[in-house]
Amino acid sequence: MDHEEFTVGINLSPRDRSLAVLFSGEGKPYPAHKIGPAVHGYYLMHTVLSGEGVFECGGQSLICREGDTFIIFPGVLFSYEASASQPWHYIWTAFQGEAAHDVMEDMGLTPRHPVIHKTSIRGLVSLYRRIRRCFEDSSEPRLQDLEASGWLRLLLHRLGKEGKRIPLGRDDLSDIDRQVEQAIRWITLQYHQPITIEGMAQSLGYHRAHLSKAFKQKTGRSPKQYLMQVRLEQAKTLLEGTLTVEQVASAVGFKDALYFSKLFRRWAGLSPTEYRGQNRIQR
């Protein structure tokens, strides 16, 4: 367990195409606990309630403390790490939807300017927790989705009205950051296809060796390793549904289900079937 305290509520029926909450939670990670480098396919917003940590996005680092809110954007490389001496306590919500991009821009938030500074956390905590509590009773998931999206809109309104945006200090990503970000987005969108690193580099207009070196410098992994990570993470999500192991393997880009199962066991410590069984028990 990476957190001293951890609670989360998950939306079992995210139907609002405009702005839907996916999950919301609260946690106190242990000192120096780090997440990433990684990329998500949705927006993930954290507000720091106490302590501090470092949020990395767009090639730069920002120290976030009480009252600061940082946004992870879909398809954008990020990482964040709790302070070793004063680990943060934060609260979060993940969302997606057709209106999300415009809402972020209206609030002055972009991958280059991803932090809102010094808001009053009292009102924010109440809104975050109302979102999470929407999912405590699963008897009416569609109504819970509707309620959660309403509380999310109020939360974003409050953040946009009260917060002060912190610019990263420059408007343009470096060439190497841009190259890696493009490769990350390519992998995130095309992971289910038979990708080759050479083909990806060629499509993006970069030399394979150059892109591979830049990618490893920024993420600590080769493009091939990162692709495998994305595929296996997606497989975990799909295994929670009703697809067969063979269908899951095909859906994330593996032609050979046995090879997929072998890699999944090595990565997760469980076979796909064992992972599915354990996950269902936990549910």
Side-chain angles (χ1 to χ4, degrees), residues 70-87:
F70 60 92
I71 314 293
I72 294 165
F73 288 78
V76 176
L77 183 68
F78 73 89
S79 66
Y80 53 99
E81 182 174 1
S83 164
S85 57
Q86 295 179 297

Side-chain angles (χ1 to χ4, degrees), residues 125-194:
V125 170
S126 175
L127 290 169
Y128 272 108
R129 289 177 178 168
R130 282 181 179 272
I131 292 172
R132 189 175 77 244
R133 287 169 187 156
C134 290
F135 311 124
E136 289 181 353
D137 179 5
S138 60
S139 61
E140 296 287 349
R142 296 183 182 181
L143 294 180
Q144 291 160 1
D145 174 58
L146 181 64
E147 182 184 1
S149 65
W151 289 119
L152 174 62
R153 284 170 167 80
L154 290 174
L155 173 61
L156 294 172
H157 173 265
R158 186 158 192 152
L159 280 167
K161 189 174 182 179
E162 296 183 3
K164 295 180 180 180
R165 179 172 52 80
I166 305 175
L168 281 176
R170 63 181 184 184
D171 289 333
D172 297 319
L173 297 175
S174 68
D175 287 342
I176 189 171
D177 288 329
R178 186 176 297 105
Q179 291 166 14
V180 173
E181 186 172 302
Q182 288 174 345
I184 289 285
R185 288 184 179 180
W186 180 275
I187 290 172
T188 303
L189 294 173
Q190 299 293 322
Y191 67 87
H192 55 287
Q193 300 291 342

Side-chain angles (χ1 to χ4, degrees), residues 54-153:
V54 176
F55 174 54
E56 296 187 355
C57 178
Q60 295 201 27
S61 300
L62 290 167
I63 297 176
C64 294
R65 300 185 175 92
E66 179 180 327
D68 293 341
T69 297
F70 60 92
I71 314 293
I72 294 165
F73 288 78
V76 176
L77 183 68
F78 73 89
S79 66
Y80 53 99
E81 182 174 1
S83 164
S85 57
Q86 295 179 297
W88 47 19
H89 171 196
Y90 48 42
I91 197 164
W92 69 83
T93 191
F95 57 93
Q96 63 184 16
E98 297 167 356
H101 174 78
D102 290 342
V103 169
M104 292 293 99
E105 286 201 340
D106 291 343
M107 294 172 64
L109 292 164
T110 69
R112 299 170 190 168
H113 304 288
V115 175
I116 292 177
H117 183 48
K118 294 301 178 187
T119 50
S120 172
I121 63 174
R122 179 180 297 178
L124 295 180
V125 170
S126 175
L127 290 169
Y128 272 108
R129 289 177 178 168
R130 282 181 179 272
I131 292 172
R132 189 175 77 244
R133 287 169 187 156
C134 290
F135 311 124
E136 289 181 353
D137 179 5
S138 60
S139 61
E140 296 287 349
R142 296 183 182 181
L143 294 180
Q144 291 160 1
D145 174 58
L146 181 64
E147 182 184 1
S149 65
W151 289 119
L152 174 62
R153 284 170 167 80

